[in-house]
Amino acid sequence: MHRLTTIILAAGYGKRMNSKLPKVLHKVSGLPMIQHVVDLSKAIKSDQIVCVVGHGRELVEASLADQSLAFALQEQQLGTGHAVLSAEQFIDSGDVLVLFGDAPLLSEETLRNFIAYHKAKKNTASLISTEFDDPTGYGRIVRLDSGAFSKIVEHKDATNQERLIKEVNSGIGLFDASALKEALKTLRNDNTQGEYYLTDVFEGIKNSGCSVGAYLIDTPYEVMGVNDRVALAEAEKYHQEMIKKRMMLSGVTLVNPESIYIEKEVVVGIDTVIYQGSRLMGQTQIGEDCTIGPYAEISDSKIQSQVRVNHSTVQSSEIDSFSTVGPYAYLRPKSIVGKHVKIGDFVEVKNTIIADGVKISHLTYVGDGKIGENVNLGCGVVFVNYDGTKKHLTEIESGAFIGCNTNLIAPVKVGKNAYVAAGSTITEDVPENALAIARERQVNKTEWSNKYQKNK
Ligand code: UD1
Ligand code: MG
C-alpha cells in the first residue's frame, strides 16, 4: 500500500521536437528534462515513482537506471489518459500524483503548496492551472459562472469562444487512487486527436459527485510544457534564472549573471564572486571568498576557499585554499592541487598530486605525476609520461627546482631539494640535493660570423 504514488508520463513521441532523441531526454540545465521531474518526485517523498515509457523506452530507461524507479510500458501512445492507465498495476491506494516528463520547471515549493491545497479542500481530484498571455496549444480550464471547475478542453477541441480562455491546464494532477481508476475506465477517444485524454478524468470525477478543484498559480513558467526547441530554450532560460537567483540570495555575487551558466547541483560558498562567461557544472563545490572567472569552466570539481580560477578549465579535480589557476590553464581529471599553489598560463595538468606551495607558472605539461611541497617547475617543463603503450609516473620531491624547458622522461624521480639545469632531458633519477645537467655543452666558435659574412 502506498500513500503517495507519483506517475511521470514520458512515453510520447515529442513530434514537435523534430529529434532522434526522445523528448524527455532533451536537457535543461545539463540534465534530461525527466531527471528534473524524477528529482522533484523524490524531494516530495513519493512512496513509489513510476515512469510511463514507450517511445525510445530503452534510452529513457537507461538514462534513469539505478534510481529505484518503476517503469510501466505504454506500447502505443494513445494519449495521456491511456498513459496513466498503462501504469494501472501500480495504482493501489492513497493519492496518485501525475507529472509530465516534459515539464521540468515546477518547484518543490509550488508542488508542496498544491498538495496542501488538495488536502485542505478534501478534493478527490485537483490540478494546477495558470494563466498564459498566449495559451495556444494548452488545454483550457472551463469554469462555471460560480467560478467552480467544470472541465478541461484541449486547444484542438476548443471552440473559438473557449480559446479566448487564458487559464490553462498544467497537466499536473493529484487524485484519489480509486476514483482515478474508476474514471480512467470510462475514458473515450472521441475527440479531434483520437486520444484518451487524462484531462477528461477531472470532468468524470466531478460528474460522479466528487469535488474537483483547480489550483491557480501566478508563476506560469513553472508549468510550461516543452513541446518544441523554442520552448526548450525558454525553459533553459527560466531554469537558469531560478538557480542563479537562489545562489545570489544565498550570498554569492554573480557579475553579469545572464552570461553565467550554473547547473542544479553546484554549491558555492558565501562571498565568492563569479564573473561573466563562467560555466559551473555537475557535482561542483566551491568554497567561500573565491574568485571564479571570467570564463572559467569547472565541472565535477571541489574547490576550497580563497581560490582564484581565471579563464581556465577544471575537470573532476580538487583545488585547496589560496591557490590560483590561470589564465588559460587546463586541469584535466584527477588533478589534486594543494594550498598556495600557482598554476599559470598554458599549463596542462592531468592525474597528478601537487603538494602545497608548488609553482608551475607557464607553458608546462604535467601528466601522471607526484609533486612535493614548494617545487618550482620552470617554463616549458614537460612530463614525458607516455611511451606509446603505457603511462608512467614522474615524481618530484619537495623543494626541487626544475629548470626551463626540461623533459622528464618517465618513469623518473627527482630527489628532495635537487636542481635540474634548464634544457635538460632527464632519463635517470636525480639524487637528493644534486644538480643534474643533461644537455650538450655549448661550443663558441670565435669570429665565425665574420668569416661567414665574408664568404657569402
Ligand atoms: C497536455 C495536456 C494539456 C496541457 C499540457 C500542458 C492532455 C490531453 N493535454 O497537452 O491539457 O495544457 O499538456 O503541458 O493531457 N505522453 C505519454 N503517452 C501518450 C501521450 C503523452 O506518455 O500517449 C506524455 C508525453 O511524453 C509528455 C506528456 O505525456 O511528457 C504530455 O504529452 P504532450 O503530448 O506533450 O501533451 P500536450 O499536447 O502538451
Ligand atoms: Mg506537452
Side-chain angles (χ1 to χ4, degrees):
M1 294 295 140
H2 297 93
R3 273 180 299 110
L4 178 62
T5 297
T6 298
I7 299 178
I8 303 171
L9 304 192
Y13 283 107
K15 286 178 214 116
R16 293 162 278 183
M17 295 298 280
N18 290 317
S19 177
K20 297 186 288 299
L21 196 66
K23 174 164 77 169
V24 295
L25 293 186
H26 281 265
K27 288 179 179 173
V28 167
S29 290
L31 289 179
M33 289 198 273
I34 190 164
Q35 186 65 57
H36 291 289
V37 183
V38 166
D39 290 348
L40 179 64
S41 310
K42 288 181 186 162
I44 57 156
K45 307 232 164 5
S46 306
D47 298 298
Q48 68 171 342
I49 302 172
V50 185
C51 295
V52 178
V53 293
H55 180 71
R57 62 178 283 218
E58 296 83 8
L59 290 173
V60 177
E61 287 186 25
S63 136
L64 296 173
D66 306 322
Q67 298 192 46
S68 335
L69 307 175
F71 293 97
L73 176 62
Q74 186 193 21
E75 299 255 14
Q76 272 183 297
Q77 284 70 54
L78 303 179
T80 50
H82 181 260
V84 175
L85 198 58
S86 312
E88 198 186 8
Q89 77 262 35
F90 296 98
I91 304 176
D92 44 26
S93 61
D95 292 324
V96 177
L97 174 68
V98 175
L99 300 175
F100 284 1
D102 71 345
L105 294 174
L106 186 65
S107 71
E108 185 182 334
E109 191 193 358
T110 299
L111 185 54
R112 283 186 186 282
N113 290 342
F114 169 59
I115 295 170
Y117 156 88
H118 174 79
K119 296 208 165 123
K121 291 279 182 193
K122 296 195 167 63
N123 283 346
T124 302
S126 305
L127 62 96
I128 298 183
S129 71
T130 193
E131 288 181 346
F132 279 116
D133 289 336
D134 177 10
T136 308
Y138 288 89
R140 306 297 204 284
I141 308 291
V142 180
R143 288 179 183 271
L144 303 172
D145 289 342
S146 66
F149 173 88
S150 168
K151 62 173 180 174
I152 302 167
V153 274
E154 287 305 295
H155 181 89
K156 286 184 180 152
D157 302 299
T159 62
N160 284 339
Q161 197 61 29
E162 286 167 336
R163 285 187 182 178
L164 297 175
I165 299 173
K166 295 230 186 298
E167 188 185 0
V168 304
N169 170 35
S170 67
I172 296 146
L174 185 54
F175 308 87
D176 170 74
S178 45
L180 174 64
K181 269 202 206 177
E182 283 307 308
L184 284 172
K185 283 182 198 152
T186 64
L187 283 186
R188 293 157 45 138
N189 65 350
D190 50 356
N191 49 54
T192 28
Q193 303 191 78
E195 289 186 357
Y196 297 93
Y197 292 161
L198 178 64
T199 44
D200 290 343
V201 161
F202 293 97
E203 196 183 358
I205 292 177
K206 194 184 143 274
N207 290 344
S208 72
C210 298
S211 57
V212 174
Y215 177 70
L216 180 66
I217 62 167
D218 60 5
T219 43
Y221 61 88
E222 278 197 67
V223 294
M224 71 175 285
V226 174
N227 296 322
D228 58 33
R229 297 194 201 223
V230 175
L232 184 68
E234 211 177 319
E236 177 79 31
K237 176 174 159 273
Y238 284 125
H239 202 263
Q240 280 294 303
E241 273 171 16
M242 288 201 293
I243 291 176
K244 290 184 281 192
K245 194 168 164 194
R246 190 172 2 104
M247 190 164 281
M248 289 188 272
L249 291 174
S250 79
V252 179
T253 297
L254 302 190
V255 179
N256 207 342
E258 311 76 61
S259 70
I260 295 171
Y261 171 79
I262 302 178
E263 291 181 359
K264 187 160 80 168
E265 280 158 15
V266 172
V267 179
V268 181
I270 61 167
D271 294 323
T272 283
V273 181
I274 302 171
Y275 286 95
Q276 59 266 29
S278 295
R279 293 163 54 78
L280 308 181
M281 294 168 289
Q283 311 279 324
T284 291
Q285 290 178 25
I286 296 176
E288 298 182 2
D289 302 302
C290 292
T291 306
I292 305 297
Y295 305 102
E297 186 164 308
I298 303 175
S299 52
D300 300 308
S301 294
K302 196 163 180 182
I303 294 176
Q304 302 295 337
S305 56
Q306 309 248 26
V307 170
R308 174 159 175 65
V309 179
N310 175 15
H311 273 86
S312 293
T313 298
V314 179
Q315 300 167 338
S316 305
S317 290
E318 294 176 22
I319 306 172
D320 210 339
S321 310
F322 308 108
S323 291
T324 65
V325 173
Y328 321 118
Y330 183 20
L331 269 59
R332 289 165 53 204
K334 295 195 197 150
S335 300
I336 312 295
V337 178
K339 295 187 177 67
H340 295 284
V341 170
K342 180 183 178 194
I343 295 177
D345 52 278
F346 305 105
V347 172
E348 177 175 334
V349 181
K350 184 211 85 171
N351 186 34
T352 295
I353 299 172
I354 300 174
D356 298 349
V358 170
K359 288 194 167 51
I360 312 174
S361 297
H362 12 239
L363 300 162
T364 291
Y365 174 62
V366 172
D368 304 303
K370 204 172 160 212
I371 304 177
E373 283 177 20
N374 301 317
V375 163
N376 191 312
L377 301 186
C379 178
V381 170
V382 174
F383 282 29
V384 184
N385 59 330
Y386 187 46
D387 62 11
T389 315
K390 280 194 189 138
K391 303 281 168 70
H392 301 279
L393 176 72
T394 299
E395 205 173 338
I396 304 178
E397 292 188 334
S398 62
F401 182 98
I402 313 297
C404 291
N405 223 34
T406 293
N407 291 314
L408 298 159
I409 315 279
V412 73
K413 180 170 171 178
V414 177
K416 214 167 148 189
N417 296 329
Y419 279 71
V420 172
S424 292
T425 292
I426 299 295
T427 55
E428 285 162 39
D429 290 355
V430 181
E432 270 185 39
N433 300 313
L435 165 66
I437 308 176
R439 64 185 183 222
E440 282 287 290
R441 280 203 173 265
Q442 181 172 331
V443 178
N444 287 341
K445 300 192 173 179
T446 45
E447 294 303 317
W448 183 90
S449 171
N450 274 343
K451 287 176 215 158
Y452 175 72
Q453 296 298 340
K454 257 187 229 152
N455 290 341
K456 218 164 50 169

